[in-house]
Every structure is written in structure tokens, then in C-alpha cells.
């Protein structure tokens, strides 16, 4: 996560926790940069093999209210599909 100055090597088979507290939401960064398509990118920083160029992920930083709405929407969708809860 270059914008957060966070880098962590990934080791197959290991779980390596990384903790940080974001202070700028994705929407705020879109406004600051003037780029409506801005996304925080999780980028592979090592030339790791043939699939290196495809190793991309994205992180969305929401306000607590936006996140709760997302959780509620997920629960509603699962209930429509017959599941009890997102967390089960």
C-alpha cells in the first residue's frame, strides 16, 4: 500500500498480520486527486515470477457509517439467498 507507506513480504503458508489506521477514505482521495476512479492499490513490489504483472489488489477505505451500510447490504443479500448471517 504505497499511499500508506506499508510494505510486507508475503511468505507462502504464513499469516503475517499488518496493522495500520487509515486517515483518508477512498472517496476523500478521489476528491483530493481529482480522479473519480482512484483506488488504493495493493501492489506486488517484488519481481516474483511470471504472474507478477497480474498481482494486483485493491483496498477501499470507508467511513464507519459507509462500512456499516455495506455490512447491512451484505446481510440482506445473504438473507435473500437463504443464509442466516454474513458472519456464520
Amino acid at each position: 500500500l504505497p499511499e500508506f507507506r506499508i510494505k510486507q513480504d508475503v511468505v507462502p503458508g504464513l499469516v503475517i498480520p499488518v496493522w495500520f489506521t487509515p486517515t483518508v477514505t477512498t472517496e476523500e482521495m478521489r476528491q483530493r486527486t481529482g480522479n473519480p476512479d482512484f483506488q488504493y492499490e495493493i501492489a506486488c513490489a517484488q519481481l516474483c515470477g511470471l504472474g507478477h504483472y497480474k498481482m494486483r489488489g485493491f483496498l477501499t477505505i470507508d467511513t464507519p457509517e459507509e462500512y456499516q451500510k455495506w455490512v447491512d447490504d451484505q446481510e440482506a443479500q445473504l438473507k435473500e439467498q437463504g443464509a442466516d448471517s454474513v458472519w456464520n
Side-chain angles (χ1 to χ4, degrees):
L1 292 162
E3 288 86 5
F4 294 102
R5 295 189 173 121
I6 295 174
K7 180 181 177 206
Q8 174 62 54
D9 290 337
V10 175
V11 180
L14 294 180
V15 175
I16 304 170
V18 177
W19 296 94
F20 62 96
T21 303
T23 58
V24 180
T25 67
T26 301
E27 187 56 40
E28 289 170 335
M29 277 301 283
R30 288 176 179 160
Q31 292 172 8
R32 286 184 185 187
T33 63
N35 178 0
D37 298 322
F38 174 86
Q39 295 186 59
Y40 288 110
E41 184 174 355
I42 303 168
C44 182
Q46 303 276 338
L47 184 55
C48 57
L50 294 176
H52 172 75
Y53 73 98
K54 293 191 289 186
M55 293 185 67
R56 297 177 67 198
F58 299 95
L59 174 71
T60 300
I61 306 295
D62 289 327
T63 64
E65 297 79 18
E66 291 168 332
Y67 176 71
Q68 187 59 52
K69 181 184 180 316
W70 177 83
V71 168
D72 294 344
D73 290 347
Q74 299 303 304
E75 291 232 346
Q77 287 178 13
L78 285 176
K79 285 182 182 177
E80 288 175 9
Q81 298 170 4
D84 292 333
S85 174
V86 171
W87 314 113
N88 292 339

